[in-house]
């Protein structure tokens, strides 16, 4: 199959402008989506279970009468696990353990120290009480999304994890439910869309109000998460999946072709980019792609993605490749090169960095251990992967001894009066020791 993928040279006039256009992505939903989501969120906020049932029946073509029909019990999750093949269950369990073990290393303890006058300062780290996890449902099976969103919350010590997953036409995905059982989800509700986000944010008689909502979803879900942010916390607003492969021309071109496919197959808006200083290699990869795409069941999506947002970029050298990689700030960055541990020091912006020829991004998606919930659309410049720290909050600890309070008050009082905040100043001054 012929693929019309754009090719760029870093040495050409206007390259930076072309790169900016290539990377541009408008994640803002249109006015119609905004209005529809605002109405759904408000109806759920005001009418609770009644609105959730109404929207679930309308959008998911269900026939729910009572809100009790929306919940899947732990016993039902166990039964779903029993219907999944032993091989798949073993893979889910192995992946869950690896993700758990990796995130154990992210745990942040509370800490404190004492000053000479007895004043104690510190930080208290506390897990969130309750978290909501949104998981896409229906024909789509994303058990990996369950593991990646739930395991760090479990490691953080979150008190209760509520999962929502839509079941259009009543279609329940046993693999997703099996993953929920293995990950230790506490409660599962078969709702989706903006109504699920609103239910988690505001709570209903049946669905508990959570402190934070995480997990991927369509434009309606993303828009709803934006709207309820502030009432609850959210993880991020994710754009289309993306991969940037930097290759020195020494990796099997078939491997690189398939790595690029691995993101392109997500959807038509996904982005796959190859950077290389070897133009002959770029042509070899393109030839591999045109041959291998015929083997792919999602070849139409792959083709649309590659022709719409994919690119080959020829650079002068590896230093330039690293500079461009930092501009792209990709969700997934593969360094399929010699001495990746040396070159990774030059990378400042990337969601996840896959080092070496034998480290395809797909391993990170499922079972390597690090989280696959990553910043997209250049937000790796200021954002990080989902982790244990997203499910913990930090409180400052301050204990003043009488001597410490007196010392601090002498500093605070002039500052407060300089801001014309007399009560602040007097509150501090009351703590000044009379003989100091």
């Amino acid at each position: 199959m012929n693929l019309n993928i754009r090719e760029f040279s870093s040495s050409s006039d206007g390259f930076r402008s072309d790169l900016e256009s290539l990377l541009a992505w408008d994640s803002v939903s249109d006015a119609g989506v905004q209005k529809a989501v605002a109405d759904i969120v408000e109806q759920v906020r005001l009418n609770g279970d009644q609105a959730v049932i109404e929207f679930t029946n309308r959008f998911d073509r269900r026939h729910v009468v009572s809100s009790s029909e929306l919940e899947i019990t732990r016993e039902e999750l166990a039964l779903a696990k029993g219907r999944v093949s032993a091989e798949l269950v073993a893979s889910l369990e192995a992946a869950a353990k690896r993700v758990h073990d990796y995130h154990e290393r992210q745990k942040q303890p509370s800490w404190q120290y004492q000053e000479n006058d007895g004043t104690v300062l510190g930080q208290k780290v506390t897990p969130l009480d309750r978290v909501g996890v949104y998981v896409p449902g229906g024909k789509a099976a994303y058990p990996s999304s369950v593991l990646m969103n739930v395991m760090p919350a479990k490691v953080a010590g979150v008190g209760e994890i509520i999962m929502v997953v839509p079941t259009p036409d009543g279609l329940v995905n046993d693999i997703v439910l099996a993953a929920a059982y293995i990950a230790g989800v506490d409660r599962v509700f078969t709702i989706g869309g903006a109504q699920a986000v609103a239910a988690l944010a505001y709570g209903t008689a049946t669905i508990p109000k959570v402190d934070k909502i995480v997990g991927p979803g369509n434009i309606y879900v993303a828009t709803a998460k934006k709207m309820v942010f502030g009432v609850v916390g959210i993880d991020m607003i994710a754009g289309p999946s993306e991969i940037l492969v930097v290759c020195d021309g020494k990796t099997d071109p078939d491997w690189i072709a398939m790595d690029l496919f691995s993101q392109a197959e997500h959807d038509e808006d996904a982005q796959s980019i190859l950077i290389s200083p070897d133009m002959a290699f770029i042509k070899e990869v393109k030839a591999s792609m045109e041959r291998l795409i015929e083997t792919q069941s999602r070849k139409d999506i792959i083709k649309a993605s590659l022709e719409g947002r994919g690119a080959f970029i020829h650079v002068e050298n590896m230093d330039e490749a690293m500079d461009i990689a930092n501009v792209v700030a990709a969700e997934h960055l593969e360094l399929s090169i010699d001495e990746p541990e040396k070159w990774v020091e030059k990378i400042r912006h990337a969601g996840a960095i896959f080092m070496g020829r034998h480290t395809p991004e797909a391993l990170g998606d499922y079972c390597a251990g690090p989280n696959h919930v990553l910043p997209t659309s250049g937000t790796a410049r200021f954002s990080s992967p989902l982790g244990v720290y997203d499910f913990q909050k930090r409180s400052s600890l301050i204990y003043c001894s009488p001597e410490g309070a007196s010392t601090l008050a002498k500093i605070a009082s002039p500052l407060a009066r300089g801001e014309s905040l007399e009560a602040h100043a007097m509150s501090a001054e009351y703590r000044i020791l009379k003989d100091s």
Side-chain angles (χ1 to χ4, degrees), residues 404-429 431-432:
S406 182
T407 298
L408 293 177
K410 292 174 184 177
I411 300 171
S413 174
L415 294 173
R417 293 191 181 279
E419 294 182 353
S420 299
L421 295 174
E422 185 177 21
H424 280 67
M426 293 181 67
S427 175
E429 290 162 1
R431 270 72 177 183
I432 296 176

Side-chain angles (χ1 to χ4, degrees), residues 38-232:
D39 179 64
I40 292 170
V41 169
E42 182 66 3
Q43 288 300 315
V44 171
R45 187 182 72 82
L46 294 175
N47 301 315
D49 285 341
Q50 178 185 339
V52 171
I53 291 172
E54 177 187 338
F55 289 125
T56 298
N57 288 340
R58 183 194 309 178
F59 298 130
D60 290 343
R61 300 168 299 280
R62 305 244 331 255
H63 304 285
V64 176
V65 176
S66 168
S67 58
S68 62
E69 299 173 49
L70 297 173
E71 185 165 7
I72 298 178
T73 65
R74 283 285 297 175
E75 292 74 20
E76 290 172 309
L77 296 181
L79 290 173
K81 176 174 172 281
R83 292 190 292 268
V84 176
S85 73
E87 179 185 31
L88 189 45
V89 168
S91 288
L92 285 171
E93 291 174 340
K97 184 179 187 308
R98 291 188 64 86
V99 174
H100 179 278
D101 291 350
Y102 175 87
H103 286 84
E104 274 285 345
R105 290 166 170 78
Q106 290 184 340
K107 291 173 73 173
Q108 300 174 344
S110 299
W111 54 268
Q112 62 183 46
Y113 64 93
Q114 185 170 343
E115 298 182 333
N116 292 334
D117 60 12
T119 295
V120 176
L121 304 175
Q123 180 173 269
K124 185 177 186 294
V125 179
T126 309
L128 302 183
D129 290 338
R130 184 183 288 131
V131 166
V133 176
Y134 189 99
V135 178
K139 292 181 180 179
Y142 294 114
S144 59
S145 183
V146 178
L147 300 182
M148 293 293 178
N149 283 277
V150 174
M151 297 314 298
K154 295 293 285 189
V155 170
V158 171
E160 187 177 28
I161 299 174
I162 311 297
M163 186 177 108
V164 293
V165 55
T167 55
D169 301 307
L171 181 63
V172 177
N173 193 295
D174 284 339
I175 305 174
V176 168
L177 300 187
Y181 183 82
I182 291 167
V185 172
D186 296 292
R187 300 180 71 182
V188 178
F189 295 93
T190 57
I191 58 174
Q195 63 270 24
V197 173
L200 290 172
Y202 295 105
T204 72
T206 301
I207 299 158
K209 171 181 168 60
V210 303
D211 301 307
K212 190 168 191 174
I213 301 172
V214 300
N218 61 21
I219 189 64
Y220 292 91
V221 172
T223 302
K225 286 170 70 176
K226 283 184 181 179
M227 286 187 182
V228 300
F229 177 62
V231 177
V232 293

Side-chain angles (χ1 to χ4, degrees), residues 325-372:
N326 282 320
V327 173
V328 176
E331 177 188 17
H332 307 102
L333 171 62
E334 283 189 13
L335 299 180
S336 191
I337 54 180
D338 287 339
E339 299 183 290
E341 64 280 359
K342 180 187 80 171
W343 290 103
V344 75
E345 296 303 318
K346 294 183 176 291
I347 297 299
R348 297 177 58 245
H349 307 306
I353 306 170
F354 301 83
M355 300 166 58
R357 307 186 199 285
H358 294 273
T359 316
E361 181 278 330
L363 300 184
D365 265 352
Y366 295 106
C367 59
N371 212 286
H372 79 191

